[in-house]
Amino acid sequence: MNRFIRNNGLHLAWTVALVATLGSLYFSEVMEYVPCKLCWIQRIFMYPLVIILAIAAVRREHSITVYVLGLSIPGGLVSLYHYLYEKTNWFQATSTFCGVNACDIEYINWLGFITIPFLALVAFILITVLCFLIRRAERRRDRLHFSM
């Protein structure tokens, strides 16, 4: 498992970031869903990951995970906030953030819980988990290498 993650983890994380980016562009450019401010913030965290992870995957630079986590964790927190804003009334009464494009519009609602912020949250979680697994696999490899 460690070898698989070491060899493929960055490629998998890049694939998740690419699918999330293309999905967001599809929703806004093809389906013409207007992104709200929270959607734009999530895009700001996701879009650079496509480029960063592509370069890291090609160069096999596992140390990049520190920087990827610096984007995926806050992006995931924004997605979680956005999802809770959509699905609960916990933040709606106190939030005046969204302005013209309401942040609680559910353009999609598959199975009663899968919305665009949920899809973004899943992508951020997958990227974060993959980065932690890559870091763990690298530490184990280094420990084995030094013990020999």
Side-chain angles (χ1 to χ4, degrees):
M1 181 65 163
N2 284 335
R3 174 183 257 170
F4 178 81
I5 290 295
R6 240 184 14 259
N7 292 337
N8 301 302
L10 289 171
H11 293 90
L12 292 171
W14 172 76
T15 302
V16 171
L18 181 65
V19 168
T21 298
L22 293 176
S24 76
L25 290 172
Y26 172 78
F27 285 135
S28 64
E29 300 304 316
V30 176
M31 300 300 293
E32 297 182 359
Y33 299 156
V34 179
C36 68
K37 286 184 182 178
L38 289 174
C39 290
W40 277 110
I41 293 170
Q42 291 166 77
R43 287 174 173 209
I44 289 167
F45 285 110
M46 183 62 73
Y47 287 13
L49 291 176
V50 176
I51 297 167
I52 293 168
L53 287 165
I55 294 169
V58 169
R59 298 185 63 171
R60 294 193 177 275
E61 289 193 28
H62 297 103
S63 61
I64 200 73
T65 56
V66 172
Y67 305 108
V68 172
L69 290 170
L71 292 170
S72 67
I73 292 173
L77 291 173
V78 173
S79 295
L80 178 62
Y81 174 81
H82 192 181
Y83 184 68
L84 291 174
Y85 184 86
E86 260 186 353
K87 291 294 188 181
T88 69
N89 58 4
W90 296 351
F91 303 111
Q92 290 178 353
T94 60
S95 180
T96 58
F97 181 76
C98 287
V100 177
N101 296 333
C103 292
D104 60 350
I105 294 174
E106 294 180 8
Y107 287 113
I108 66 168
N109 189 2
W110 301 329
L111 304 174
F113 71 96
I114 299 172
T115 62
I116 294 173
F118 180 82
L119 293 172
L121 177 60
V122 169
F124 281 121
I125 289 171
L126 287 172
I127 293 167
T128 300
V129 168
L130 283 166
C131 285
F132 278 121
L133 290 174
I134 292 166
R135 291 174 58 81
R136 187 179 76 179
E138 280 298 300
R139 279 195 304 267
R140 286 185 177 174
R141 183 187 64 92
D142 290 344
R143 252 187 273 138
L144 287 173
H145 185 259
F146 288 124
S147 66
M148 295 181 147

